Amino acid sequence: MDTFFKIAVDEAKAGLSEGGIPIGSVIVHGGKVLGKGHNRRVQEGSVVLHGEMDALENAGRQTAKIYRESTLYTTLSPCPMCTGAILLYGIPRVIIGENKTFMGSESLLRENGVEVIVLNDAECIQLMQHFIAANPTLWNEDIGE
């Protein structure tokens, strides 16, 4: 498993252990982690702290050049909000753990020239399947069902 992807998976597990939704993300530039995070909607009572948004927040302010040279790893296909942030900051490459349990806005990323790689990682799929089965109300709240 790629070192940076493993960080994203570890972040997802941290979120789950805190009573949150198991989605993790990491932003990498030049072989170094700029920021990492996990979905903290439940823990913080937030409507915007998805894994990708938490990683961006933890990366702090960066120049446009840095974002345009970065890769974002995420354990689950990015929702429209997180996709918008990826496009806003010009992040050119997104590596996704899985899109079986939730298909985000991958087509929008691709349409805007973002390289999208989906790993279909078994551990990510299992994490989400178990979480959704155990917490359908919370999951449906997050995705708007």
Side-chain angles (χ1 to χ4, degrees):
M1 179 183 293
D2 176 282
T3 302
F4 299 119
F5 181 66
K6 182 178 182 335
I7 294 170
V9 172
D10 289 345
E11 284 291 320
K13 291 176 183 176
L16 184 62
S17 73
E18 295 168 1
I21 301 166
I23 303 167
S25 185
V26 63
I27 301 165
V28 176
H29 177 265
K32 295 183 181 178
V33 173
L34 291 179
K36 61 183 180 174
H38 51 272
N39 188 303
R40 295 190 303 132
R41 283 188 342 96
V42 173
Q43 300 92 311
E44 299 294 325
S46 171
V47 297
V48 296
L49 279 181
H50 285 191
E52 300 90 339
M53 302 301 277
D54 193 39
L56 280 165
E57 181 70 16
N58 290 327
R61 292 177 59 201
Q62 303 293 327
T63 65
K65 181 181 187 306
I66 296 292
Y67 289 121
R68 287 193 308 263
E69 297 172 346
S70 294
T71 298
L72 183 137
Y73 294 77
T74 183
T75 58
L76 185 65
S77 186
C79 76
M81 175 180 66
C82 296
T83 294
I86 291 164
L87 294 176
L88 176 67
Y89 292 107
I91 298 169
R93 185 170 187 237
V94 177
I95 299 175
I96 299 168
E98 68 103 348
N99 62 10
K100 301 291 185 203
T101 61
F102 175 76
M103 173 57 79
S105 299
E106 293 174 26
S107 61
L108 184 58
L109 289 170
R110 287 185 179 100
E111 288 167 14
N112 283 275
V114 176
E115 179 185 5
V116 176
I117 298 168
V118 180
L119 302 176
N120 287 320
D121 180 79
E123 186 174 17
C124 290
I125 294 168
Q126 184 180 41
L127 266 173
M128 288 308 301
Q129 285 176 337
H130 288 152
F131 178 81
I132 293 167
N135 303 279
T137 303
L138 178 56
W139 175 245
N140 288 330
E141 171 191 318
D142 195 40
I143 63 168
E145 297 271 327

